Amino acid sequence: MTAAASAVRAALPRLLTTLAPYQAAVVRIGIAGTWGAYLLREWPHRRVLYGDRSPWSAELNDRLLADTHAFTALSWNDGRWWFEAVYLLALLSAAAVAAGWRTRASTVLFALTVLSLQNRNVFLGDGGDNLVHLMAIYLVFTRCGRVWSLDARRRARRPGKDPSEWGEPRAVADALAAMLHNCAMLVIAVQVVLVYATAGWYKVQGARWQDGTAVFYPLKLGYFTPWPELSGLLGGSLLVTFALTYGTVIMQVGFPFSLAARRLKNALLAVMVCEHLAIALLLGLPFFSLAMVSADAVFLPTAFLLAVRGRLAARWPRRTAGAAPDGPMDGPDEPVDGSDGPVAGAAGEAAAGEPVGGRSD
């Protein structure tokens, strides 16, 4: 047997195990919560944005759909009450996904409603909607409700059969579902890397980013200045503007390369999260920032997520003394390690010569 075949056989048990369940749960909660909060904020304006009062009429949208072949359930009927039903269903599915209730079915419904509303009017959004669009599709193929969900709580209270009693067909189906989940998590991680890489390299080619003044202009636009005094203070300093401009380019271009160094990746990830929070505050783009932070969570270390859960559990202890902790929905118990997700952990540990899922930082 060759060395490559031996390595594949040794890695096969881990490939058939659901990896990064905590990262998947954070992405699920973040993306669904972001979309649900956006729909609630736009509730008074929903008919103007996506409904029968929209300047982008159903007839115009049908012409566009004839060329793009995009899916939207709103094209089936242009009546008000059908729109209201779809919008309300979108809100309910977002709440169900965020809470982790019947995640297999609710993620499918969530993806369909996201596509239905966004494809009804493709001229809305600030960039974060594109990420929600993609992540909603990817979540369908993940086991994002195995932990930190109502499904996990229900399964912990009413455990099913032992995996050894499932039988061969069920065991094979579970292994295939685990592989599909792992592939989907890998796609999510690659998608985030592509977002930062393309954004960074496009900025490198821009004259305003090269001379260090790009951040100055949005800080002077009324549409992006919810706090004019604060924006004016930052935009009035040449040194601050220069540092923010070059810092943004360096972080976005350097993030894909930082995956080979775990500690550097974790530090850069923390800085990028702070950057998105600053964008939400300074530029008035909260949903864009929340979508990006939610997607970035795929790279969070498992040890960090477990530590956060421990802190929250210590602060808000369970009211029911006999309540079982969060556990997997089905399948064998999952390894709890310090890995950084499906891509970052593998890259960092391979560079260090350590087995995937080894130590935590």
Side-chain angles (χ1 to χ4, degrees):
M1 182 180 296
T2 63
S6 300
V8 170
R9 174 167 292 187
L12 191 59
R14 184 167 179 82
L15 293 176
L16 299 180
T17 303
T18 302
L19 302 178
Y22 296 95
Q23 288 84 353
V26 176
V27 174
R28 181 199 85 230
I29 296 169
I31 293 297
T34 299
W35 181 244
Y38 169 78
L39 295 180
L40 284 175
R41 189 192 72 170
E42 301 299 343
W43 178 267
H45 317 291
R46 63 192 184 282
R47 294 176 63 188
V48 176
L49 297 179
Y50 302 108
D52 55 303
R53 295 181 179 176
S54 175
W56 183 249
S57 66
E59 181 182 357
L60 292 174
N61 197 57
D62 288 341
R63 294 180 184 179
L64 179 63
L65 294 178
D67 294 330
T68 62
H69 305 288
F71 168 82
T72 172
L74 294 177
S75 64
W76 301 347
N77 189 313
D78 59 359
R80 176 188 174 184
W81 298 112
W82 174 249
F83 162 74
E84 298 285 6
V86 172
Y87 199 95
L88 182 59
L89 192 60
L91 273 171
L92 294 176
S93 64
V97 171
W101 182 77
R102 305 293 182 183
T103 49
R104 288 190 179 95
S106 61
T107 50
V108 174
L109 187 59
F110 176 71
L112 292 177
T113 54
V114 167
L115 296 177
S116 294
L117 290 176
Q118 290 190 355
N119 290 335
R120 171 60 181 84
N121 191 344
V122 297
F123 300 103
L124 297 176
D126 51 19
D129 58 310
N130 293 328
L131 196 59
V132 171
H133 187 116
L134 294 171
M135 293 299 161
I137 297 174
Y138 299 153
L139 286 175
V140 173
F141 303 98
T142 66
R143 287 176 158 179
C144 55
R146 295 183 69 87
V147 297
W148 297 346
S149 65
L150 296 179
D151 288 341
R153 179 182 291 268
R154 185 184 69 253
R155 293 301 180 94
R157 290 176 174 176
R158 294 183 297 170
K161 291 183 179 180
D162 187 86
S164 61
E165 303 175 2
W166 282 353
E168 186 173 349
R170 174 71 185 276
V172 171
D174 180 76
L176 292 176
M179 291 185 65
L180 188 62
H181 164 90
N182 296 338
C183 291
M185 292 299 293
L186 179 62
V187 170
I188 291 175
V190 172
Q191 181 70 61
V192 175
V193 170
L194 289 176
V195 167
Y196 285 120
T198 54
W201 286 108
Y202 270 113
K203 286 181 175 64
V204 168
Q205 303 173 49
R208 296 293 176 265
W209 292 96
Q210 292 176 7
D211 61 26
T213 62
V215 173
F216 169 82
Y217 297 98
L219 292 176
K220 295 299 181 179
L221 294 175
Y223 184 78
F224 293 109
T225 54
W227 311 99
E229 295 80 7
L230 181 58
S231 298
L233 180 63
L234 295 177
S237 173
L238 179 61
L239 180 61
V240 171
T241 302
F242 184 85
L244 291 176
T245 301
Y246 269 81
T248 299
V249 175
I250 291 172
M251 286 188 297
Q252 292 184 345
V253 173
F255 181 72
F257 301 100
S258 71
L259 298 180
R262 174 181 274 183
R263 293 184 183 275
L264 176 61
K265 183 270 300 180
N266 291 341
L268 194 58
L269 186 62
V271 174
M272 294 175 73
V273 170
C274 293
E275 179 191 21
H276 289 308
L277 296 178
I279 290 174
L281 177 65
L282 295 175
L283 302 184
L285 298 173
F287 300 110
F288 166 79
S289 299
L290 286 175
M292 289 301 304
V293 171
S294 301
D296 290 345
V298 72
F299 293 106
L300 290 176
T302 302
F304 169 76
L305 295 176
L306 292 178
V308 171
R309 185 186 68 170
R311 291 281 185 92
L312 294 177
R315 181 168 296 184
W316 293 292
R318 298 179 185 272
R319 298 193 178 190
T320 304
D326 293 334
M329 290 177 58
D330 50 21
D333 291 339
E334 301 164 17
V336 176
D337 51 39
S339 61
D340 292 347
V343 169
E349 291 163 350
E354 301 174 0
V356 176
R359 63 178 177 82
S360 61
D361 294 332

